[in-house]
Structure formats: structure tokens, C-alpha cells
Amino acid sequence: MSFSEKSINLSSLPIEYDAIIVGSGMSGGIAAKELTERGLNTLLLERGPHLPHSSGYITEHKPPWAFTFRGSIPPAEEEEHYAIQGRHGTFNA
């Protein structure tokens, strides 16, 4: 059974948590580790599949200059996802 195929029995999870962390990125993983080591009942929520280190990230070794929209956001994406921020002068300077 792969990591993404595992199911969790939600009835076996505690109802109350001291901390809930959304995303196990660079900060989320460290935060979860530190809180659990200090004895807090911590829930870590993650979206998406497990990505193995060095093989799951398709752009990991891609140089910055090889990205199509390096340093900016495509106009259509900016309008759809960043409508309010896009009106601020420093957002996409």
C-alpha cells in the first residue's frame, strides 16, 4: 500500500488539539516537531500526495532563469488569484 492509499479512521483521532498546523512545508514540519516534542497534542494537515525527496519535485534542480515567468506572475493568474494584491504597487514590481 502506498502512502497516498492509506486511509485514516477519523473516529480514532482525538477530538481536541492544542495546535493545528496546516501544511508540512519548511515551517510547518519544524513547528509540528517542536510542538509534539514539548508534549502538545498536535494535528498536522497536508494536502496532496507524499513527495519523495529529490525525486518528487519536478523543478528541484531547474535553474531560476529556466522558468517561464521568473520573477513575475502570469497576468491571467494574477487576475484570478491575486486580484486585491495585484492592485498594490509593490506586489509585482
Side-chain angles (χ1 to χ4, degrees):
M1 180 183 305
S2 73
F3 184 82
S4 61
E5 295 172 349
K6 292 182 182 176
S7 62
I8 298 173
N9 181 359
L10 296 177
S11 63
S12 67
L13 295 175
I15 295 173
E16 293 185 11
Y17 296 94
D18 299 314
I20 298 174
I21 300 168
V22 179
S24 64
M26 185 178 285
S27 299
I30 297 294
K33 172 191 170 292
E34 293 293 324
L35 293 171
T36 55
E37 285 180 351
R38 286 170 172 70
L40 275 72
N41 191 13
T42 306
L43 174 65
L44 176 61
L45 300 174
E46 184 62 65
R47 180 184 81 174
H50 172 68
L51 296 174
H53 185 64
S54 293
S55 64
Y57 302 95
I58 58 174
T59 60
E60 181 177 11
H61 299 292
K62 188 173 184 178
W65 56 86
F67 287 93
T68 306
F69 294 102
R70 177 177 59 121
S72 66
I73 297 173
E77 184 178 337
E78 181 177 340
E79 181 64 32
E80 182 180 351
H81 299 289
Y82 304 97
I84 294 173
Q85 296 96 325
R87 287 185 244 145
H88 191 271
T90 59
F91 176 68
N92 203 5

